[in-house]
């Protein structure tokens, strides 16, 4: 069945689109929305329209590194930040006591509110059609993708296709010895589409992820548990919002124990992970409780966050997500060890945990715009590329959807490099190095963390997004107002000055060198914030808290940012040197056979990307550069006749 994204508006009666997106998860929602914002006639095809925007695993958005991705998605006018603000029920700024570069916005979410928000936002696009059907195969013509074939037998044609199938490609759920073919609980896996991708000759493999049991909130003994409140001043994800209006809740904290570990250890052989039933590797940074007990045998306890899946009194709020005990142990073993956890002695288990194994494509099969090298017009995003997490999926989805739309329109791809965004870091990591385990974003993956902060994502990306055609008019105007306010505040601070004696009279310890300093320079000193400036210059009282925060960060990082900007200039020299897509690396003298093979496999888009290939030496890069220069001189000489 076909439904229009515009609700009461009339459905588009067509079987032809510019872009078709397969899958309605976080990558699919962002891909479809991005393509639609670009102006492409877009269709999102998914098994169930009612599960678009579903939080399949933990009910949370953001975190360290991940929160940066959400802010960048929002800066490019994406869906996730706005949906998180509408569904978030426990906002917390992680690493609040540390520097702005490593702070991570995070919120628990009401599953129903978040899903409804995603669906509401998608319905706002008049050029986006939502179609309820599975996709069984791709249509190809003249060596490029031309559409999709549904399980219903219907076909839809398109100039580009984005595949965002999450864990559905030959998905297989494991609970002890049980094996259930599924993309997630209660939903059939995608078999035909997986076979088609294998048929393209793509390098593919298996990965796994897991989820814990779901617990009935009313059956938990909350009285003896530590509780963690939301921030008193919740900070929204979306730059379009200035406040959170959703009710905020607390979550509980408990711990495993030696007794719990003994039950797990005695039954480790029954786990699908340790019995040999699962071949795929799981996420190292989000291990199952079996992995924790096995790998960290010296630890006698592990922390568990008891996270409500919704607001009190709602259907979602009846369930608790015990973050920290994902498992593939049999149901009776799960029940035994869970009921030995403090506070859960009499808990009722609504649904048992499981591991899920699924196919993924080696992301080195993709170009930096997330296009499949072997089939023009086909784009991949999300867990199919070997990542884990809603935020990583959303960032890829936005870029894949935008580039699919640009491809269908005959435009060049839009690529974010590592110096501009965490999204750029992630995609470059994927297509250059591939994955051996599910990829998760961390701030430590970025070389330019001081520049790539969560607080300035809009200043880094929104104007670029406008030029790329992915930012709408409402956000564009909102950003221009904010940027004007920041520029005005900066000029005001640069115009306000004081002498060292005047500074000392206001309690600011500055060298008595006779040099006047402006307010921005003064704010770089320890203990000086914007409130202090207001006490000296009352006329600054009209500067908004958001703008004041930006001025504080600029002042705090001024010297460091100047040095990092110089590093970025040097980085971009290599990034601006494009490598021909058909370059014959086997013809380059001075390259080892290993280097030739790696360069031929990855097909780096730039000299900088080539240098980041694992094992690539400076000598190899020099050889490539020398070959390109000699080739350019020969071409120039030939042109002169």
């Amino acid at each position: 069945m076909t439904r229009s994204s515009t609700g009461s508006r009339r459905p588009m009666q067509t079987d032809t689109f510019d872009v078709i997106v397969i899958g309605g998860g976080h990558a699919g929602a962002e891909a479809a929305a991005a393509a639609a914002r670009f102006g492409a006639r877009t269709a999102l095809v998914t098994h169930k329209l009612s599960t678009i925007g579903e939080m399949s695993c933990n009910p949370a958005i953001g975190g360290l590194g991940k929160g940066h991705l959400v802010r960048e998605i929002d800066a490019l006018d994406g869906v996730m930040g706005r949906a998180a603000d509408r569904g978030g029920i426990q906002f917390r700024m992680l690493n609040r006591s540390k520097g702005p570069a490593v702070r991570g916005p995070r919120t628990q979410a009401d599953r129903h509110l978040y899903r409804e928000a995603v669906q509401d936002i998608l319905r706002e696009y008049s050029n986006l059609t939502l179609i309820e059907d599975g996709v069984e195969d791709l249509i190809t013509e003249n060596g490029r993708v031309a559409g999709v074939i549904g399980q219903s037998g219907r076909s839809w044609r398109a100039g580009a296709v984005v595949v965002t199938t999450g864990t559905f490609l030959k998905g297989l759920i494991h609970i002890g010895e049980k094996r259930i073919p599924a993309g997630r609980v209660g939903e059939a896996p995608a078999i035909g589409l997986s076979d088609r991708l294998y048929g393209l000759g793509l390098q593919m493999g298996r990965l796994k992820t897991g989820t814990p049991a779901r617990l009935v909130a009313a059956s938990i003994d909350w009285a003896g548990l530590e509780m963690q409140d939301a921030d008193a001043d919740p900070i929204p994800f979306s730059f379009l919002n200035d406040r959170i209006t959703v009710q905020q809740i607390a979550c509980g904290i408990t711990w495993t124990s030696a007794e719990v570990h003994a039950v797990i250890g005695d039954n480790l052989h029954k786990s699908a992970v340790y019995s040999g039933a699962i071949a795929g590797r799981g996420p190292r940074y989000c291990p199952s409780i079996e992995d924790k007990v096995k790998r960290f045998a010296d630890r006698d306890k592990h922390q568990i966050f008891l996270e409500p899946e919704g607001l009190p009194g709602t259907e979602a709020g009846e369930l608790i997500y015990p973050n920290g005990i994902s498992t593939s142990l049999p149901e009776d073993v799960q029940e035994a060890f869970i009921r030995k956890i403090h506070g859960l002695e009499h808990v009722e288990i609504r649904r048992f945990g499981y591991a899920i194994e699924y196919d993924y494509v080696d992301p080195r099969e993709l170009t930096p715009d997330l296009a499949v090298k072997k089939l023009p017009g086909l784009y991949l995003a999300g867990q199919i590329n070997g990542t884990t997490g809603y935020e990583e999926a959303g960032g890829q989805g936005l870029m894949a959807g935008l580039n699919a739309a640009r491809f269908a329109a005959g435009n060049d791809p839009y690529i974010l490099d590592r110096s501009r965004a965490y999204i750029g870091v992630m995609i470059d990591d994927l297509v250059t190095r591939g994955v051996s385990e599910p990829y998760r974003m961390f701030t430590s993956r970025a070389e330019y963390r001081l520049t790539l902060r969560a607080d300035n994502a809009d200043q880094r990306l929104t104007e670029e997004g406008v030029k790329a055609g992915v930012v709408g008019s409402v956000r564009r105007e909102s950003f221009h107002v904010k940027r004007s306010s920041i520029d005005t505040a900066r000029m005001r601070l640069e115009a306000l000055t004081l002498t060292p004696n005047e500074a000392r009279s206001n309690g600011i310890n500055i060298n008595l060198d006779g040099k006047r300093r402006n307010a921005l320079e003064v704010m770089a000193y320890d203990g000086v914030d914007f409130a202090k400036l207001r006490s000296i210059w009352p006329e600054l009282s009209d500067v908004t808290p958001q703008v004041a925060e930006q001025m504080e960060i600029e002042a705090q990082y001024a010297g460091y940012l100047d040095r990092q900007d110089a590093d970025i200039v040097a980085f971009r020299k290599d990034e601006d040197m494009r490598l021909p897509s058909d370059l014959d690396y086997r013809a380059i003298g001075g390259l080892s056979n290993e280097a030739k093979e790696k360069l031929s496999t990855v097909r780096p888009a730039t000299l900088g990307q080539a240098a980041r290939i694992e094992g690539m030496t400076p000598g190899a890069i020099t050889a490539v550069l020398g070959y390109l220069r000699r080739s350019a001189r020969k071409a120039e000489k030939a042109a002169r006749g």
Side-chain angles (χ1 to χ4, degrees), residues 76 369-370 395-404 414-416 423 427:
L76 293 169
D369 57 341
L370 297 178
Q396 293 173 72
L398 190 151
M399 297 303 294
L402 169 60
N403 281 314
Y414 173 64
I415 297 171
L416 287 171
I423 293 174
I427 293 176

Side-chain angles (χ1 to χ4, degrees), residues 520-564:
L520 267 178
E521 294 169 324
V522 169
M523 201 160 45
Y525 284 82
D526 288 342
V528 182
D529 57 12
F530 210 90
K532 182 66 175 178
L533 296 189
R534 287 193 178 103
S535 71
I536 302 172
W537 293 289
E539 62 266 35
L540 295 176
S541 61
D542 62 339
V543 176
T544 66
Q546 293 82 4
V547 173
E549 179 189 38
Q550 288 301 299
M551 295 299 98
E552 288 178 350
I553 294 171
E554 277 192 27
Q556 178 183 353
Y557 284 152
Y560 301 104
L561 288 171
D562 288 342
R563 289 195 289 273
Q564 194 153 99

Side-chain angles (χ1 to χ4, degrees), residues 434-616:
V435 298
S436 58
E437 62 185 4
Y439 179 99
R440 179 178 178 178
M441 178 50 68
F442 294 101
T443 55
S444 59
R445 294 191 187 273
E447 299 89 338
Y448 309 112
R449 291 190 292 279
L450 296 184
T451 300
L452 307 183
R453 305 187 309 274
D455 65 86
N456 71 349
D458 58 340
Q459 296 173 64
R460 290 186 280 115
L461 297 177
T462 298
E463 196 63 56
E464 281 205 18
V466 171
K467 295 175 184 175
V470 75
V471 171
S473 59
V474 172
R475 188 174 299 270
R476 182 178 67 242
E477 293 307 315
S478 175
F479 171 71
H480 286 165
V481 170
K482 178 181 176 179
R483 185 176 63 180
S484 177
S485 298
I486 290 174
D487 291 344
T488 299
R490 187 182 298 112
M491 288 188 291
R492 291 174 67 184
L493 294 182
E494 289 172 344
L496 296 171
T497 64
L498 41 66
T499 66
N501 284 326
E502 290 170 337
R504 289 200 170 194
S505 68
N506 282 282
I508 304 172
N509 189 19
I510 291 179
N511 290 336
L512 296 174
D513 55 9
K515 178 184 176 182
R516 296 188 73 88
R517 291 168 174 81
N518 65 42
L520 267 178
E521 294 169 324
V522 169
M523 201 160 45
Y525 284 82
D526 288 342
V528 182
D529 57 12
F530 210 90
K532 182 66 175 178
L533 296 189
R534 287 193 178 103
S535 71
I536 302 172
W537 293 289
E539 62 266 35
L540 295 176
S541 61
D542 62 339
V543 176
T544 66
Q546 293 82 4
V547 173
E549 179 189 38
Q550 288 301 299
M551 295 299 98
E552 288 178 350
I553 294 171
E554 277 192 27
Q556 178 183 353
Y557 284 152
Y560 301 104
L561 288 171
D562 288 342
R563 289 195 289 273
Q564 194 153 99
D565 286 345
D567 292 339
I568 290 173
V569 169
F571 164 82
R572 285 185 178 155
K573 286 182 181 178
D574 285 345
E575 291 305 299
D576 289 341
M577 181 168 287
R578 311 294 297 179
L579 299 180
S581 60
D582 59 351
L583 181 59
D584 183 5
Y585 291 101
R586 291 175 175 78
I588 300 178
L591 284 181
S592 68
N593 288 333
E594 181 185 11
K596 290 176 181 178
E597 183 179 349
K598 288 183 175 180
L599 288 164
S600 298
T601 298
V602 175
R603 290 269 152 211
T606 68
L607 192 67
Q609 186 189 358
R612 291 189 294 276
I613 296 174
E614 187 177 3
M616 200 58 55

Side-chain angles (χ1 to χ4, degrees), residues 105-431:
R106 181 188 189 274
T107 185
Q108 286 176 224
D110 181 301
R111 289 185 183 277
H112 291 180
L113 290 178
Y114 183 88
R115 185 179 62 213
E116 289 171 1
V118 171
Q119 294 178 16
D120 286 348
I121 293 169
L122 293 185
R123 291 189 188 100
E124 294 172 1
Y125 295 102
S126 59
N127 57 334
L128 172 59
T129 299
L130 307 180
I131 301 172
E132 189 166 273
D133 200 347
V135 171
E136 192 67 18
D137 202 357
L138 303 174
I139 300 171
T140 60
E141 291 178 359
N142 302 317
R144 59 172 286 173
V145 75
V148 304
I149 299 172
Q151 292 176 342
S152 64
R154 287 192 63 188
S155 62
W156 297 272
R157 302 185 66 81
V161 173
V162 185
V163 179
T164 70
T165 45
T167 59
F168 277 71
L169 287 184
K170 292 188 178 175
L172 185 64
I173 285 176
H174 297 258
I175 307 175
E177 295 182 353
K178 284 185 180 180
R179 307 288 179 267
I180 306 168
R184 58 179 167 230
V185 168
E187 297 190 51
I191 305 298
L193 188 57
S194 181
D195 290 339
R196 161 61 79 163
L197 294 175
Y198 273 107
L200 293 175
L202 303 180
Q203 290 295 314
M204 297 177 66
R206 299 283 277 176
L207 292 174
K208 73 101 173 170
T209 188
T211 190
R214 301 303 193 271
L215 312 178
V216 176
S219 66
I220 294 174
D221 181 7
W222 297 97
L225 299 180
E226 176 187 348
M227 301 301 292
Q228 182 184 72
D229 292 324
D231 287 345
D233 54 340
I235 299 174
F237 272 107
S238 179
F239 292 103
L240 293 178
N241 297 329
D242 59 4
R243 65 178 60 86
I244 296 299
T245 59
V246 184
Q247 176 188 343
Q248 299 295 285
I249 55 92
C251 74
I253 298 176
T254 187
W255 300 80
T256 61
S257 64
E259 192 177 13
V260 173
H261 296 181
V263 174
I264 294 169
D266 290 344
N267 292 278
L268 208 56
H269 61 286
K270 298 179 181 179
S271 164
V273 175
Y274 286 94
S275 68
I278 294 180
R281 291 192 63 177
R284 182 173 18 138
Y285 304 103
C286 187
S288 67
I289 189 61
E290 299 99 290
D291 285 333
K292 292 179 183 178
V293 170
K294 178 76 171 177
R295 288 164 46 193
F296 307 108
D298 57 321
R299 295 184 58 176
D300 58 4
K301 64 179 182 178
H302 295 282
Q303 193 173 48
I304 304 167
F305 289 93
L306 300 175
E307 301 176 343
E309 297 200 343
L311 290 171
T314 66
E315 181 182 351
E318 294 176 359
L319 295 182
I320 297 296
Y321 181 93
N323 195 339
I325 55 170
S326 66
T327 182
S328 63
L329 284 164
E331 294 166 349
D332 60 329
V333 179
Q334 290 189 44
E335 188 166 10
F337 85 72
I338 288 173
R339 288 190 172 168
K340 290 187 180 298
I341 296 170
H342 178 55
L344 307 182
E345 292 86 353
H346 306 289
V347 76
E348 178 185 342
I349 299 174
R350 179 67 58 83
R351 192 182 83 195
F352 288 96
Y354 61 86
I356 184 166
E357 190 179 22
Y358 54 93
D359 286 345
Y360 81 101
V361 174
D362 185 333
R364 289 173 294 185
E365 295 281 6
L366 310 177
T367 54
D369 57 341
L370 297 178
V372 175
K373 297 172 185 176
K374 295 177 180 175
L375 186 61
L378 181 63
Y379 294 76
L380 309 182
Q383 284 178 283
I384 191 174
N385 291 339
T387 60
T388 183
Y390 307 147
E391 304 82 1
E392 290 87 348
Q396 293 173 72
L398 190 151
M399 297 303 294
L402 169 60
N403 281 314
R406 293 178 66 87
F407 176 87
N411 294 350
D412 291 336
Y414 173 64
I415 297 171
L416 287 171
D417 67 42
R418 301 181 70 90
S419 69
R420 288 184 169 88
Y422 273 86
I423 293 174
V425 171
M426 170 179 62
I427 293 176
D428 182 68
D429 282 349
L430 293 172
V431 303

